[in-house]
Amino acid sequence: MARTLLLWLPTQAALSGGGADAAWLRVDDGVIVDSGQDDGWVDAWEKPQDDEADDRLVALAPAADVPLRWRSYPDAAPAQAAAIARVDTLRDSLGDASLLHIVAGQPADAGQAVPVAVTTHAAMAAWTDWLQTQGLVPAAIIPAAATLPPPEPDSLWTAEFGREQILRSDDRSFVSDPELDPLIAAGRTIAPLDADRMREALLLSLSAPPLDLLSGAWQPKRNWAIDPAMMIWMKRLAVALLVVTLLIPILYAIRINADIARADEAAVATAKKAGVTASDAAAAEAELDRRLAAAGGGPLAFSVPASALYDAMRDTPGVALKTLSHRTDGTLSTTLAAPRTEDINAVLLALQAHGYKITAQPMAGTDGTQMATVTVRAVP
């Protein structure tokens, strides 16, 4: 159930004089269920169900301290009209502009009149302090003068609202004065506002406030509150994410080790078929390399590095082979000659590109050619 407490704020005169009783009214689901002119709002509001999310407090600022005026700008967009209304009202106001708190509502459509309320920062400070003293936090502070509906043409409304008598013309709303009201009316009829119509206008103002004094410098700071249940879920998700992050590399390492173990077993089984008995793949590979070297074959054989050397020389026709020898450890030794050092370097780079380890000792030939003594490791 949506519950709203409507509390009339004391006037500045009442606050300074020590009398701060406030009129109040309680609305449940759009129906006025209780009201009073004393501190009975405490019992009407402070109930266990007050903690429901739909419950709210709306304060009404007295017309004596917050008069209202409607300004029209037919050719301006709603946001532009509100901005212009604030500037015009500030220009027409008396006193120090820094002491004034001017709030303009924003019309729903272009061409509609803009409600503008004028009060002081001192009044706002007094009201917020009084509300804090009562332990109340209002959802909005609406000028009481803004809740009266516009009168009929060539007439004015007068209504007792809270503890004030308010006068409403077509473009102004302010506290009534018996001596000034006839002068302001200027021959127009001053009629009392029907109670039912006043009640409807009040409920409409609660559902769609024409303006809120809690704006600008007095706009409440938003307090971010995190749902405890959401915090628990966030912590659980964080822990799950951490566990998954750690498990991915662990599972990957386990899979790699399992693949390596299967490959080692296959290597040992293959070596066993070749007559090599070994405890692991490394021992089997070492034994196979030893037997191949003794037999002059395998990766340590002469043909392996020699074919790579011939392929590299084929791409560089200017390079000639002067000497060539091979050792049982797979090292190929050769002497290369070429008209230019760059040609020999091209051969060496080609061998390195195939993964061979190269050493080279440059020297000059007797006929002016460039030469280099080169060793090529047969095993990459």
Side-chain angles (χ1 to χ4, degrees):
M1 179 176 64
R3 303 170 65 248
T4 301
L5 175 65
L6 193 63
L7 189 66
W8 274 262
L9 295 172
T11 63
Q12 294 301 293
L15 286 174
S16 60
D21 289 340
W24 58 274
L25 183 148
R26 204 185 90 187
V27 179
D28 292 354
D29 289 333
V31 178
I32 299 175
V33 297
D34 201 359
S35 63
Q37 297 281 338
D38 48 23
D39 59 356
W41 61 267
V42 176
D43 295 331
W45 185 245
E46 294 183 351
K47 296 180 181 296
Q49 62 266 35
D50 288 351
D51 293 333
E52 294 183 7
D54 292 337
D55 290 354
R56 62 175 184 151
L57 167 70
V58 176
L60 286 177
D65 297 309
V66 191
L68 212 72
R69 181 176 180 180
W70 281 262
R71 292 179 177 270
S72 296
Y73 304 94
D75 298 329
Q80 293 176 334
I84 298 172
R86 283 193 296 269
V87 174
D88 288 347
T89 302
L90 180 62
R91 182 190 59 196
D92 297 341
S93 299
L94 300 176
D96 189 351
S98 63
L99 302 179
L100 298 178
H101 180 49
I102 300 176
V103 180
Q106 184 166 316
D109 299 315
Q112 290 184 348
V114 181
V116 187
V118 181
T119 187
T120 63
H121 291 294
M124 291 296 297
W127 288 326
T128 53
D129 291 343
W130 183 82
L131 287 167
Q132 289 178 359
T133 302
Q134 310 301 318
L136 300 174
V137 179
I141 297 180
I142 304 173
T147 59
L148 271 69
E152 301 296 333
D154 299 326
S155 65
L156 290 83
W157 289 131
T158 181
E160 185 176 356
F161 198 46
R163 292 181 175 178
E164 294 182 304
Q165 192 73 26
I166 301 177
L167 189 68
R168 170 73 156 93
S169 67
D170 56 345
D171 64 346
R172 297 177 188 271
S173 185
F174 46 89
V175 67
S176 176
D177 187 323
E179 296 182 359
L180 297 178
D181 288 352
L183 301 176
I184 295 172
R188 292 175 293 179
T189 303
I190 300 178
L193 181 61
D194 180 71
D196 292 337
R197 189 168 180 182
M198 182 67 229
R199 187 181 303 107
E200 293 176 2
L202 175 61
L203 295 176
L204 180 61
S205 298
L206 291 179
S207 60
L211 55 85
D212 184 3
L213 295 180
L214 293 178
S215 61
W218 294 97
Q219 185 172 6
K221 295 181 179 179
R222 179 176 295 180
N223 294 323
W224 293 99
I226 300 178
D227 187 1
M230 182 64 68
M231 281 296 299
I232 294 175
W233 276 107
M234 290 174 63
K235 290 179 180 179
R236 291 177 179 175
L237 289 175
V239 172
L241 181 60
L242 178 60
V243 171
V244 171
T245 303
L246 294 176
L247 281 178
I248 289 176
I250 293 175
L251 294 176
Y252 184 75
I254 293 174
R255 192 186 70 177
I256 293 297
N257 290 332
D259 292 342
I260 293 174
R262 286 194 297 269
D264 287 346
E265 292 175 358
V268 171
T270 303
K272 188 175 182 181
K273 293 178 180 179
V276 176
T277 302
S279 59
D280 54 31
E285 182 180 5
E287 178 60 21
L288 287 172
D289 287 343
R290 186 189 67 78
R291 293 187 182 186
L292 288 172
L300 303 181
F302 166 78
S303 59
V304 176
S307 61
L309 176 62
Y310 291 146
D311 286 339
M313 291 176 61
R314 184 172 53 187
D315 296 332
T316 312
V319 178
L321 191 65
K322 296 296 184 180
T323 63
L324 184 64
S325 63
H326 178 258
R327 297 199 300 265
T328 57
D329 63 354
T331 302
L332 186 71
S333 299
T334 182
T335 301
L336 301 178
R340 301 179 309 164
T341 304
E342 290 79 1
D343 296 333
I344 297 176
N345 289 339
V347 175
L348 300 181
L349 291 174
L351 289 170
Q352 288 180 337
H354 283 81
Y356 291 94
K357 182 181 291 186
I358 305 298
T359 63
Q361 182 65 41
M363 58 183 178
T366 56
D367 55 355
T369 59
Q370 300 298 319
M371 302 180 67
T373 301
V374 180
T375 62
V376 181
R377 289 289 300 170
V379 179

